[in-house]
Amino acid sequence: MSNYNLDIVNKLRDKSQRQIDKLEREYQETGSSSTYRTINKHYDIVKTCDLALEALDGDCHFCKNRNRRLEDAINRYKKLKETGNTIDIDKVINDLINIRY
């Protein structure tokens, strides 16, 4: 995880959040539809930044799922090795393909 990338995403998120706060006050006064669209645009930026921060931390749902599947495969192959069973290379390749996606 790069501090540079984290800084960029955090700055963008903070900037959009400040815009949301400002525009929501403005929208309460004017009721302008263009202001409302701009608020939604900044909400989308904040949500996207939150997802990016999760991915940069490796704490996203997909990262956790992939790590769990890797651990399961490693443990399965260790058990096979301990019991003296052979490992089917096609099964290993198939497992790795499934873990990748």
Side-chain angles (χ1 to χ4, degrees):
M1 149 178 50
S2 168
N3 286 336
Y4 176 75
N5 291 335
L6 285 174
D7 289 344
I8 289 175
V9 174
N10 279 320
K11 284 179 185 177
L12 179 60
R13 187 192 186 291
D14 292 344
K15 181 180 176 184
S16 286
Q17 187 60 55
R18 284 192 303 274
Q19 282 295 104
I20 289 170
D21 296 340
K22 175 186 159 203
L23 291 169
E24 282 180 338
R25 286 189 300 274
E26 184 179 314
Y27 181 70
Q28 291 299 321
E29 294 172 6
T30 65
S32 168
S33 61
S34 66
T35 302
Y36 184 73
R37 284 191 303 272
T38 307
I39 290 170
N40 285 329
K41 178 185 96 170
H42 285 287
Y43 271 128
D44 291 343
I45 292 171
V46 168
K47 289 178 189 176
T48 303
C49 288
D50 289 341
L51 290 171
L53 289 170
E54 285 180 3
L56 287 170
D57 287 341
D59 194 33
C60 69
H61 167 73
F62 297 109
C63 298
K64 287 179 182 178
N65 189 28
R66 182 178 302 120
N67 289 337
R68 181 185 51 76
R69 290 187 300 177
L70 279 170
E71 268 309 306
D72 290 345
I74 290 168
N75 290 333
R76 191 169 49 250
Y77 297 133
K78 282 183 179 179
K79 278 185 182 179
L80 287 173
K81 182 180 176 184
E82 289 170 0
T83 59
N85 291 331
T86 59
I87 298 174
D88 180 19
I89 194 69
D90 290 329
K91 173 70 173 143
V92 173
I93 291 170
N94 190 43
D95 283 348
L96 291 174
I97 289 170
N98 288 332
I99 290 170
R100 182 173 53 174
Y101 301 109

XYZ file of all heavy atoms in Angstrom:
839
model
N 0.845 -1.164 0.000
C 0.000 0.000 0.000
C 0.892 1.229 0.000
O 1.799 1.345 0.800
C -0.917 -0.103 1.208
C -1.340 1.162 1.834
S -2.459 0.970 3.218
C -1.699 -0.224 4.232
N 0.627 2.112 -0.901
C 1.444 3.308 -1.057
C 0.812 4.480 -0.318
O -0.379 4.764 -0.480
C 1.568 3.621 -2.544
O 2.109 4.895 -2.713
N 1.620 5.166 0.482
C 1.118 6.355 1.172
C 0.726 7.436 0.180
O -0.204 8.196 0.423
C 2.167 6.890 2.144
C 2.291 6.030 3.374
O 1.359 5.320 3.731
N 3.436 6.085 4.015
N 1.433 7.488 -0.941
C 1.111 8.467 -1.982
C -0.312 8.248 -2.494
O -1.095 9.189 -2.593
C 2.128 8.354 -3.118
C 1.830 9.264 -4.287
C 2.065 10.632 -4.201
C 1.302 8.748 -5.465
C 1.789 11.463 -5.270
C 1.026 9.576 -6.535
C 1.269 10.932 -6.430
O 0.986 11.758 -7.483
N -0.638 6.986 -2.811
C -1.984 6.684 -3.302
C -3.038 6.954 -2.240
O -4.108 7.487 -2.539
C -2.067 5.233 -3.766
C -1.272 4.982 -5.021
O -1.024 5.886 -5.801
N -0.856 3.748 -5.211
N -2.744 6.583 -1.003
C -3.690 6.846 0.081
C -3.934 8.343 0.241
O -5.077 8.777 0.426
C -3.174 6.268 1.396
C -3.270 4.769 1.572
C -2.579 4.335 2.857
C -4.717 4.318 1.580
N -2.860 9.129 0.168
C -2.998 10.581 0.304
C -3.872 11.164 -0.796
O -4.729 12.007 -0.540
C -1.630 11.260 0.290
C -0.829 10.994 1.553
O -1.431 10.550 2.559
O 0.396 11.215 1.526
N -3.648 10.718 -2.027
C -4.434 11.233 -3.155
C -5.912 10.908 -2.971
O -6.776 11.774 -3.118
C -3.916 10.659 -4.485
C -2.572 11.269 -4.832
C -4.914 10.917 -5.614
C -1.921 10.675 -6.052
N -6.207 9.666 -2.638
C -7.606 9.249 -2.487
C -8.249 9.981 -1.315
O -9.390 10.457 -1.410
C -7.709 7.716 -2.331
C -9.130 7.294 -2.019
C -7.210 7.015 -3.586
N -7.534 10.094 -0.197
C -8.084 10.799 0.966
C -8.337 12.272 0.670
O -9.359 12.824 1.083
C -7.152 10.652 2.173
C -7.337 9.332 2.869
O -8.454 8.848 3.028
N -6.238 8.740 3.295
N -7.417 12.911 -0.051
C -7.610 14.321 -0.396
C -8.825 14.504 -1.299
O -9.628 15.420 -1.099
C -6.360 14.875 -1.077
C -5.227 15.147 -0.126
C -4.004 15.659 -0.855
C -2.826 15.807 0.083
N -1.605 16.228 -0.612
N -8.970 13.639 -2.285
C -10.115 13.720 -3.187
C -11.414 13.487 -2.431
O -12.402 14.195 -2.628
C -9.971 12.707 -4.322
C -11.097 12.652 -5.343
C -11.266 14.002 -6.034
C -10.832 11.560 -6.362
N -11.398 12.498 -1.534
C -12.595 12.198 -0.751
C -12.966 13.386 0.144
O -14.132 13.792 0.216
C -12.372 10.954 0.104
C -13.629 10.499 0.804
C -13.354 9.448 1.871
N -14.570 8.932 2.431
C -15.396 9.628 3.209
N -15.140 10.886 3.492
N -16.495 9.071 3.684
N -11.976 13.956 0.836
C -12.234 15.088 1.719
C -12.748 16.296 0.944
O -13.668 16.992 1.389
C -10.969 15.466 2.487
C -10.558 14.404 3.498
O -11.392 13.529 3.832
O -9.393 14.449 3.943
N -12.159 16.544 -0.219
C -12.591 17.675 -1.055
C -14.048 17.500 -1.483
O -14.847 18.433 -1.408
C -11.685 17.781 -2.278
C -12.023 18.924 -3.192
C -11.076 18.973 -4.381
C -11.476 20.066 -5.348
N -10.628 20.077 -6.540
N -14.408 16.290 -1.904
C -15.789 16.036 -2.329
C -16.742 16.111 -1.152
O -17.865 16.611 -1.292
C -15.896 14.681 -3.017
O -15.321 14.753 -4.302
N -16.309 15.649 0.017
C -17.177 15.718 1.195
C -17.432 17.170 1.593
O -18.552 17.537 1.951
C -16.558 14.943 2.369
C -17.483 14.829 3.569
C -18.782 14.118 3.241
O -18.775 13.007 2.738
N -19.897 14.761 3.528
N -16.404 18.009 1.515
C -16.593 19.435 1.802
C -17.568 20.059 0.802
O -18.415 20.885 1.173
C -15.255 20.174 1.773
C -14.398 19.939 3.000
C -13.227 20.906 3.074
N -12.361 20.860 1.905
C -11.345 20.012 1.728
N -11.066 19.137 2.672
N -10.621 20.053 0.632
N -17.441 19.671 -0.476
C -18.361 20.174 -1.505
C -19.795 19.746 -1.195
O -20.732 20.522 -1.366
C -17.949 19.677 -2.883
C -16.790 20.420 -3.484
C -17.144 21.870 -3.749
O -16.708 22.748 -2.997
N -17.911 22.131 -4.780
N -19.964 18.498 -0.773
C -21.306 18.012 -0.430
C -21.896 18.870 0.679
O -23.055 19.305 0.599
C -21.268 16.524 -0.010
C -20.985 15.638 -1.212
C -22.571 16.109 0.667
C -20.698 14.185 -0.867
N -21.115 19.109 1.739
C -21.604 19.907 2.871
C -22.021 21.300 2.411
O -23.089 21.802 2.790
C -20.526 20.009 3.952
C -20.187 18.652 4.564
O -21.015 17.706 4.446
O -19.092 18.528 5.147
N -21.192 21.909 1.579
C -21.484 23.258 1.075
C -22.727 23.248 0.172
O -23.624 24.078 0.309
C -20.269 23.775 0.296
C -20.476 25.092 -0.378
C -19.284 25.443 -1.239
C -19.710 26.465 -2.270
N -18.865 26.482 -3.436
N -22.763 22.285 -0.743
C -23.866 22.244 -1.708
C -25.196 21.869 -1.067
O -26.255 22.326 -1.516
C -23.529 21.279 -2.841
C -22.411 21.732 -3.771
C -21.970 20.597 -4.673
C -22.859 22.936 -4.590
N -25.167 21.058 -0.017
C -26.428 20.715 0.662
C -27.051 21.949 1.308
O -28.267 22.118 1.274
C -26.198 19.607 1.686
C -26.091 18.244 1.044
C -25.869 17.130 2.048
O -25.388 17.383 3.172
O -26.180 15.971 1.682
N -26.202 22.799 1.891
C -26.739 24.057 2.460
C -27.332 24.924 1.355
O -28.411 25.490 1.488
C -25.634 24.803 3.208
C -25.253 24.184 4.529
C -24.316 25.086 5.325
N -23.059 25.367 4.638
C -21.974 24.595 4.692
N -22.002 23.490 5.398
N -20.871 24.943 4.053
N -26.604 25.002 0.234
C -27.074 25.799 -0.901
C -28.382 25.234 -1.453
O -29.302 25.993 -1.797
C -25.999 25.810 -1.983
C -26.321 26.672 -3.169
C -25.204 26.651 -4.205
O -24.036 26.780 -3.820
O -25.546 26.503 -5.397
N -28.463 23.919 -1.531
C -29.663 23.289 -2.071
C -30.877 23.554 -1.185
O -31.988 23.734 -1.680
C -29.442 21.782 -2.228
C -30.635 21.061 -2.795
C -31.007 21.229 -4.122
C -31.407 20.221 -2.002
C -32.102 20.574 -4.654
C -32.505 19.562 -2.511
C -32.852 19.742 -3.835
O -33.949 19.098 -4.350
N -30.657 23.590 0.126
C -31.761 23.883 1.044
C -32.323 25.286 0.808
O -33.520 25.521 0.949
C -31.291 23.765 2.510
C -30.967 22.357 2.933
C -32.164 21.437 2.839
O -33.287 21.813 3.144
N -31.927 20.211 2.386
N -31.452 26.194 0.397
C -31.888 27.570 0.154
C -32.521 27.746 -1.226
O -33.506 28.467 -1.372
C -30.700 28.524 0.285
C -30.139 28.608 1.683
C -28.849 29.409 1.751
O -28.442 30.003 0.722
O -28.235 29.424 2.835
N -31.959 27.102 -2.243
C -32.404 27.370 -3.615
C -33.279 26.267 -4.210
O -34.149 26.551 -5.032
C -31.193 27.561 -4.553
O -30.468 26.332 -4.621
C -30.291 28.681 -4.065
N -33.022 25.020 -3.855
C -33.764 23.907 -4.447
C -33.406 23.663 -5.906
O -34.153 23.032 -6.652
N -32.251 24.137 -6.309
C -31.816 24.033 -7.694
C -31.528 22.583 -8.075
O -30.834 21.858 -7.365
C -30.552 24.873 -7.891
O -29.939 24.589 -9.122
N -32.048 22.169 -9.237
C -31.829 20.798 -9.685
C -30.376 20.573 -10.097
O -29.845 19.468 -9.941
C -32.769 20.445 -10.835
O -32.548 21.290 -11.940
N -29.699 21.600 -10.596
C -28.287 21.433 -10.965
C -27.429 21.239 -9.713
O -26.465 20.471 -9.728
C -27.787 22.620 -11.780
O -27.765 23.800 -11.011
N -27.801 21.915 -8.627
C -27.084 21.717 -7.368
C -27.288 20.291 -6.873
O -26.347 19.644 -6.407
C -27.571 22.720 -6.300
O -27.384 24.051 -6.794
C -26.820 22.551 -4.994
N -28.501 19.793 -7.006
C -28.800 18.423 -6.585
C -27.984 17.416 -7.397
O -27.447 16.454 -6.843
C -30.306 18.156 -6.726
C -30.724 16.811 -6.229
C -30.771 16.539 -4.866
C -31.063 15.803 -7.113
C -31.148 15.299 -4.389
C -31.443 14.552 -6.658
C -31.488 14.304 -5.288
O -31.852 13.065 -4.832
N -27.868 17.632 -8.702
C -27.058 16.737 -9.543
C -25.588 16.773 -9.132
O -24.906 15.747 -9.098
C -27.200 17.107 -11.019
C -28.511 16.669 -11.638
C -28.488 16.813 -13.154
N -28.182 18.160 -13.611
C -29.077 19.129 -13.809
N -30.353 18.883 -13.602
N -28.707 20.313 -14.227
N -25.104 17.953 -8.805
C -23.712 18.090 -8.381
C -23.489 17.390 -7.040
O -22.443 16.761 -6.829
C -23.312 19.579 -8.290
O -23.622 20.219 -9.530
C -21.846 19.735 -7.978
N -24.450 17.471 -6.140
C -24.370 16.752 -4.862
C -24.242 15.254 -5.128
O -23.387 14.580 -4.547
C -25.598 17.051 -3.978
C -25.560 18.485 -3.460
C -25.675 16.067 -2.807
C -26.840 18.935 -2.780
N -25.082 14.741 -6.016
C -25.036 13.312 -6.335
C -23.699 12.914 -6.951
O -23.176 11.837 -6.669
C -26.191 12.921 -7.253
C -27.501 12.864 -6.509
O -27.538 12.545 -5.324
N -28.579 13.172 -7.196
N -23.146 13.782 -7.791
C -21.838 13.505 -8.388
C -20.775 13.377 -7.297
O -19.958 12.452 -7.303
C -21.454 14.617 -9.362
C -20.077 14.437 -9.989
C -19.684 15.605 -10.849
C -18.842 16.517 -9.998
N -18.174 17.586 -10.711
N -20.820 14.271 -6.317
C -19.835 14.226 -5.240
C -20.072 13.032 -4.302
O -19.112 12.463 -3.771
C -19.797 15.542 -4.477
C -19.107 16.629 -5.232
N -17.738 16.663 -5.398
C -19.590 17.705 -5.900
C -17.416 17.715 -6.117
N -18.521 18.361 -6.442
N -21.325 12.645 -4.107
C -21.607 11.418 -3.343
C -20.965 10.214 -4.041
O -20.383 9.348 -3.381
C -23.111 11.172 -3.210
C -23.756 11.804 -2.007
C -24.877 12.607 -2.145
C -23.271 11.587 -0.727
C -25.488 13.189 -1.050
C -23.869 12.159 0.373
C -24.978 12.961 0.214
O -25.573 13.523 1.306
N -21.080 10.165 -5.361
C -20.476 9.067 -6.116
C -18.948 9.063 -5.966
O -18.335 8.005 -5.838
C -20.853 9.149 -7.593
C -22.323 8.846 -7.846
O -22.976 8.266 -6.947
O -22.811 9.193 -8.941
N -18.351 10.243 -5.969
C -16.899 10.332 -5.791
C -16.505 9.824 -4.410
O -15.534 9.069 -4.265
C -16.409 11.778 -6.030
C -16.571 12.153 -7.500
C -14.956 11.951 -5.570
C -16.331 13.625 -7.799
N -17.254 10.211 -3.388
C -16.961 9.766 -2.020
C -17.079 8.246 -1.916
O -16.204 7.583 -1.343
C -17.874 10.478 -0.993
C -17.776 9.824 0.373
C -17.514 11.953 -0.905
N -18.140 7.687 -2.492
C -18.316 6.232 -2.458
C -17.187 5.519 -3.191
O -16.674 4.497 -2.730
C -19.661 5.845 -3.075
C -20.847 6.207 -2.233
C -22.136 5.842 -2.948
C -23.339 6.398 -2.234
N -24.579 6.130 -2.965
N -16.790 6.053 -4.340
C -15.696 5.470 -5.115
C -14.388 5.538 -4.329
O -13.612 4.576 -4.314
C -15.550 6.189 -6.466
O -16.793 6.124 -7.165
C -14.454 5.570 -7.301
N -14.148 6.646 -3.667
C -12.937 6.780 -2.849
C -12.959 5.785 -1.689
O -11.916 5.204 -1.349
C -12.807 8.202 -2.313
S -12.361 9.414 -3.581
N -14.116 5.585 -1.073
C -14.221 4.595 0.011
C -13.859 3.203 -0.496
O -13.137 2.458 0.181
C -15.628 4.600 0.617
C -15.917 5.851 1.435
O -14.949 6.540 1.839
O -17.105 6.136 1.667
N -14.348 2.855 -1.673
C -14.014 1.555 -2.259
C -12.522 1.463 -2.569
O -11.898 0.421 -2.343
C -14.840 1.317 -3.519
C -16.333 1.081 -3.320
C -17.056 1.077 -4.667
C -16.565 -0.215 -2.580
N -11.953 2.543 -3.086
C -10.524 2.548 -3.398
C -9.693 2.388 -2.128
O -8.695 1.659 -2.118
C -10.150 3.843 -4.123
N -10.108 3.048 -1.049
C -9.377 2.920 0.217
C -9.444 1.490 0.741
O -8.459 0.971 1.263
C -9.929 3.904 1.246
C -9.608 5.373 0.985
C -10.400 6.273 1.916
C -8.116 5.627 1.123
N -10.605 0.851 0.610
C -10.723 -0.546 1.018
C -9.776 -1.421 0.207
O -9.103 -2.290 0.754
C -12.154 -1.049 0.831
C -13.137 -0.565 1.852
C -14.535 -1.099 1.594
O -14.718 -1.895 0.648
O -15.443 -0.710 2.330
N -9.730 -1.180 -1.087
C -8.860 -1.987 -1.950
C -7.385 -1.728 -1.646
O -6.583 -2.666 -1.631
C -9.152 -1.682 -3.416
N -7.020 -0.479 -1.377
C -5.631 -0.164 -1.057
C -5.212 -0.791 0.270
O -4.059 -1.178 0.447
C -5.417 1.352 -1.015
C -5.410 2.053 -2.367
C -5.436 3.574 -2.177
C -4.188 1.647 -3.170
N -6.159 -0.908 1.195
C -5.866 -1.531 2.489
C -5.914 -3.043 2.410
O -5.512 -3.725 3.345
C -6.872 -1.069 3.548
C -6.631 0.365 3.979
O -5.526 0.869 3.755
O -7.554 0.973 4.546
N -6.441 -3.573 1.310
C -6.610 -5.022 1.201
C -7.738 -5.511 2.084
O -7.805 -6.678 2.449
N -8.641 -4.605 2.431
C -9.714 -4.931 3.366
C -11.071 -5.017 2.665
O -12.099 -4.998 3.308
C -9.762 -3.859 4.459
C -10.604 -4.282 5.645
O -10.630 -5.488 5.943
O -11.236 -3.412 6.267
N -11.067 -5.134 1.363
C -12.333 -5.207 0.641
C -12.875 -6.640 0.660
O -12.150 -7.595 0.938
C -12.175 -4.716 -0.800
S -11.202 -5.793 -1.858
N -14.116 -6.773 0.350
C -14.783 -8.078 0.350
C -14.081 -9.060 -0.583
O -13.851 -10.211 -0.235
C -16.245 -7.904 -0.048
C -16.939 -9.176 -0.381
N -17.301 -10.084 0.585
C -17.304 -9.711 -1.559
C -17.869 -11.136 0.004
N -17.889 -10.922 -1.295
N -13.731 -8.600 -1.767
C -13.102 -9.479 -2.753
C -11.709 -9.928 -2.310
O -11.321 -11.063 -2.526
C -13.041 -8.799 -4.123
C -14.409 -8.518 -4.680
C -14.877 -7.227 -4.759
C -15.238 -9.558 -5.090
C -16.150 -6.970 -5.258
C -16.501 -9.307 -5.589
C -16.960 -8.012 -5.673
N -10.964 -9.008 -1.684
C -9.625 -9.367 -1.187
C -9.728 -10.418 -0.091
O -8.962 -11.393 -0.076
C -8.905 -8.131 -0.651
S -8.602 -6.850 -1.873
N -10.671 -10.219 0.822
C -10.848 -11.184 1.910
C -11.272 -12.535 1.363
O -10.779 -13.579 1.804
C -11.894 -10.675 2.908
C -11.419 -9.542 3.757
C -12.523 -9.095 4.700
C -12.082 -7.925 5.538
N -13.143 -7.449 6.416
N -12.175 -12.532 0.402
C -12.653 -13.773 -0.198
C -11.513 -14.510 -0.908
O -11.358 -15.724 -0.763
C -13.800 -13.480 -1.162
C -14.479 -14.732 -1.642
O -14.497 -15.748 -0.964
N -15.052 -14.674 -2.833
N -10.708 -13.785 -1.658
C -9.582 -14.392 -2.372
C -8.572 -14.977 -1.382
O -8.085 -16.090 -1.558
C -8.904 -13.367 -3.271
C -7.765 -13.980 -4.070
C -7.085 -12.995 -5.013
N -8.026 -12.430 -5.959
C -8.303 -11.125 -6.064
N -7.700 -10.265 -5.288
N -9.155 -10.687 -6.964
N -8.272 -14.230 -0.326
C -7.321 -14.726 0.675
C -7.846 -15.978 1.372
O -7.081 -16.905 1.650
C -7.005 -13.639 1.696
C -6.154 -12.533 1.121
O -5.450 -12.741 0.131
N -6.217 -11.366 1.713
N -9.134 -16.013 1.655
C -9.733 -17.196 2.283
C -9.636 -18.407 1.357
O -9.272 -19.504 1.792
C -11.201 -16.921 2.647
C -11.887 -18.092 3.334
C -13.364 -17.837 3.561
N -14.087 -17.398 2.382
C -14.461 -18.181 1.375
N -14.178 -19.454 1.390
N -15.135 -17.689 0.349
N -9.928 -18.198 0.074
C -9.851 -19.311 -0.877
C -8.412 -19.798 -1.054
O -8.163 -20.999 -1.197
C -10.461 -18.913 -2.218
C -11.984 -18.763 -2.125
C -12.610 -18.549 -3.448
N -12.074 -17.322 -4.051
C -12.387 -16.889 -5.251
N -13.216 -17.564 -6.005
N -11.876 -15.778 -5.721
N -7.445 -18.884 -1.024
C -6.039 -19.283 -1.100
C -5.647 -20.119 0.113
O -4.974 -21.140 -0.028
C -5.131 -18.048 -1.196
C -4.989 -17.422 -2.566
C -4.269 -16.078 -2.462
C -4.245 -18.344 -3.501
N -6.044 -19.681 1.297
C -5.745 -20.436 2.520
C -6.353 -21.829 2.461
O -5.703 -22.812 2.826
C -6.296 -19.716 3.754
C -5.383 -18.770 4.444
C -4.020 -19.318 4.782
O -3.896 -20.374 5.438
O -3.047 -18.679 4.378
N -7.595 -21.930 1.989
C -8.251 -23.239 1.871
C -7.483 -24.155 0.927
O -7.275 -25.335 1.224
C -9.695 -23.081 1.367
C -10.615 -22.452 2.397
O -10.236 -22.387 3.583
O -11.722 -22.024 2.007
N -7.051 -23.623 -0.207
C -6.307 -24.441 -1.169
C -4.975 -24.876 -0.591
O -4.577 -26.046 -0.722
C -6.100 -23.660 -2.473
N -4.275 -23.962 0.063
C -2.982 -24.310 0.667
C -3.153 -25.417 1.702
O -2.396 -26.394 1.708
C -2.325 -23.059 1.292
C -1.873 -22.100 0.194
C -1.165 -23.444 2.203
C -1.481 -20.723 0.698
N -4.153 -25.277 2.561
C -4.387 -26.300 3.591
C -4.768 -27.647 2.968
O -4.338 -28.701 3.441
C -5.465 -25.839 4.573
C -4.986 -24.710 5.444
O -3.790 -24.573 5.709
N -5.905 -23.872 5.887
N -5.554 -27.610 1.918
C -5.962 -28.841 1.240
C -4.746 -29.558 0.648
O -4.587 -30.767 0.794
C -6.994 -28.506 0.152
C -7.693 -29.676 -0.440
C -8.886 -29.303 -1.309
N -8.610 -28.274 -2.302
C -9.090 -27.017 -2.250
N -9.868 -26.641 -1.263
N -8.793 -26.143 -3.202
N -3.844 -28.803 0.018
C -2.652 -29.406 -0.582
C -1.663 -29.888 0.478
O -0.994 -30.899 0.289
C -1.982 -28.444 -1.561
C -2.883 -28.109 -2.725
C -3.056 -26.804 -3.141
C -3.594 -29.104 -3.381
C -3.899 -26.490 -4.191
C -4.444 -28.794 -4.437
C -4.599 -27.496 -4.834
O -5.432 -27.195 -5.869
N -1.583 -29.187 1.603
C -0.725 -29.638 2.702
C -1.213 -30.978 3.254
O -0.412 -31.866 3.547
C -0.684 -28.597 3.821
C 0.227 -27.432 3.533
C 0.258 -26.479 4.712
C 1.198 -25.312 4.456
N 1.213 -24.367 5.577
N -2.545 -31.115 3.391
C -3.113 -32.377 3.879
C -2.802 -33.523 2.918
O -2.458 -34.621 3.339
C -4.626 -32.266 4.065
C -5.046 -31.644 5.358
C -6.553 -31.684 5.490
C -6.994 -31.015 6.761
N -8.449 -31.031 6.897
N -2.939 -33.233 1.625
C -2.626 -34.259 0.636
C -1.164 -34.685 0.737
O -0.837 -35.869 0.643
C -2.947 -33.769 -0.780
C -4.423 -33.681 -1.153
C -4.588 -33.009 -2.513
C -5.061 -35.056 -1.165
N -0.278 -33.719 0.926
C 1.147 -34.016 1.030
C 1.439 -34.846 2.280
O 2.208 -35.801 2.237
C 1.948 -32.712 1.059
C 3.439 -32.912 1.128
C 4.151 -31.571 1.162
C 5.649 -31.775 1.324
N 6.345 -30.499 1.450
N 0.808 -34.464 3.398
C 1.032 -35.174 4.663
C 0.563 -36.622 4.602
O 1.171 -37.503 5.196
C 0.327 -34.449 5.806
C 0.962 -33.139 6.195
C 0.098 -32.343 7.163
O -0.997 -32.801 7.538
O 0.535 -31.229 7.538
N -0.526 -36.866 3.884
C -1.063 -38.225 3.802
C -0.399 -39.035 2.706
O -0.693 -40.214 2.545
C -2.586 -38.199 3.562
O -2.858 -37.498 2.347
C -3.309 -37.536 4.714
N 0.503 -38.421 1.952
C 1.220 -39.130 0.911
C 0.444 -39.276 -0.382
O 0.864 -40.005 -1.283
N -0.688 -38.594 -0.499
C -1.474 -38.641 -1.739
C -0.804 -37.796 -2.822
O -0.077 -36.848 -2.536
C -2.896 -38.134 -1.513
C -3.705 -39.064 -0.660
O -3.480 -40.267 -0.659
N -4.641 -38.516 0.092
N -1.074 -38.161 -4.044
C -0.560 -37.366 -5.155
C -1.503 -36.208 -5.427
O -2.697 -36.279 -5.148
C -0.425 -38.219 -6.430
O -1.697 -38.741 -6.773
C 0.568 -39.339 -6.223
N -0.936 -35.175 -5.984
C -1.725 -33.983 -6.299
C -1.917 -33.936 -7.804
O -0.946 -33.974 -8.567
C -1.016 -32.713 -5.801
C -0.852 -32.754 -4.289
C -1.774 -31.469 -6.225
C -0.035 -31.615 -3.723
N -3.164 -33.856 -8.219
C -3.506 -33.781 -9.639
C -3.240 -32.358 -10.125
O -3.847 -31.398 -9.648
C -4.975 -34.159 -9.823
C -5.423 -34.098 -11.270
O -4.552 -34.123 -12.163
O -6.644 -34.031 -11.494
N -2.312 -32.212 -11.054
C -1.918 -30.892 -11.538
C -3.079 -30.159 -12.198
O -3.197 -28.934 -12.093
C -0.686 -30.982 -12.483
C -0.074 -29.587 -12.711
C -1.065 -31.592 -13.817
C 0.577 -29.012 -11.500
N -3.981 -30.868 -12.850
C -5.152 -30.230 -13.456
C -6.050 -29.618 -12.385
O -6.623 -28.541 -12.582
C -5.935 -31.237 -14.297
C -5.187 -31.641 -15.566
O -4.429 -30.795 -16.088
O -5.356 -32.792 -16.005
N -6.162 -30.301 -11.247
C -6.960 -29.781 -10.134
C -6.319 -28.510 -9.577
O -7.008 -27.536 -9.267
C -7.081 -30.854 -9.041
C -7.729 -30.401 -7.772
C -9.203 -30.138 -7.953
C -9.818 -29.841 -6.590
N -10.842 -28.841 -6.655
N -4.999 -28.500 -9.467
C -4.286 -27.324 -8.972
C -4.497 -26.142 -9.919
O -4.813 -25.038 -9.482
C -2.774 -27.616 -8.802
C -2.013 -26.344 -8.456
C -2.558 -28.685 -7.746
N -4.353 -26.389 -11.195
C -4.544 -25.321 -12.184
C -5.972 -24.795 -12.118
O -6.200 -23.580 -12.128
C -4.199 -25.831 -13.599
C -2.694 -26.071 -13.709
C -4.671 -24.839 -14.671
C -2.276 -26.795 -14.976
N -6.932 -25.674 -12.036
C -8.336 -25.265 -11.937
C -8.587 -24.441 -10.679
O -9.277 -23.425 -10.721
C -9.250 -26.503 -11.986
C -10.693 -26.125 -12.122
O -11.035 -25.244 -12.889
N -11.525 -26.804 -11.362
N -8.009 -24.870 -9.545
C -8.157 -24.114 -8.289
C -7.573 -22.719 -8.431
O -8.179 -21.724 -7.992
C -7.476 -24.841 -7.136
C -8.287 -26.024 -6.620
O -9.464 -26.151 -7.002
O -7.728 -26.808 -5.831
N -6.399 -22.616 -9.033
C -5.758 -21.291 -9.191
C -6.557 -20.383 -10.111
O -6.680 -19.176 -9.856
C -4.336 -21.470 -9.719
C -3.345 -22.114 -8.743
C -2.019 -22.357 -9.428
C -3.169 -21.277 -7.504
N -7.122 -20.951 -11.159
C -7.968 -20.146 -12.056
C -9.195 -19.629 -11.305
O -9.562 -18.460 -11.429
C -8.367 -20.969 -13.294
C -7.148 -21.175 -14.190
C -9.509 -20.292 -14.067
C -7.369 -22.159 -15.319
N -9.810 -20.483 -10.511
C -10.992 -20.075 -9.751
C -10.663 -19.033 -8.684
O -11.468 -18.145 -8.420
C -11.657 -21.288 -9.101
C -12.348 -22.163 -10.123
O -12.776 -21.688 -11.164
N -12.441 -23.456 -9.824
N -9.495 -19.159 -8.084
C -9.100 -18.194 -7.059
C -8.818 -16.823 -7.687
O -9.143 -15.789 -7.118
C -7.868 -18.696 -6.273
C -8.274 -19.883 -5.394
C -7.259 -17.595 -5.429
C -7.126 -20.620 -4.768
N -8.231 -16.845 -8.868
C -7.898 -15.593 -9.539
C -9.125 -14.713 -9.744
O -9.079 -13.510 -9.648
C -7.224 -15.885 -10.880
C -6.804 -14.637 -11.614
C -6.002 -14.914 -12.842
N -6.690 -15.860 -13.711
C -6.263 -16.185 -14.921
N -5.154 -15.669 -15.378
N -6.930 -17.027 -15.660
N -10.243 -15.310 -10.066
C -11.469 -14.543 -10.317
C -12.369 -14.679 -9.172
O -13.336 -14.559 -8.879
C -12.132 -14.999 -11.619
C -11.213 -14.844 -12.813
C -10.660 -15.936 -13.435
C -10.876 -13.600 -13.273
C -9.812 -15.794 -14.529
C -10.027 -13.440 -14.345
C -9.514 -14.561 -14.978
O -8.676 -14.393 -16.040
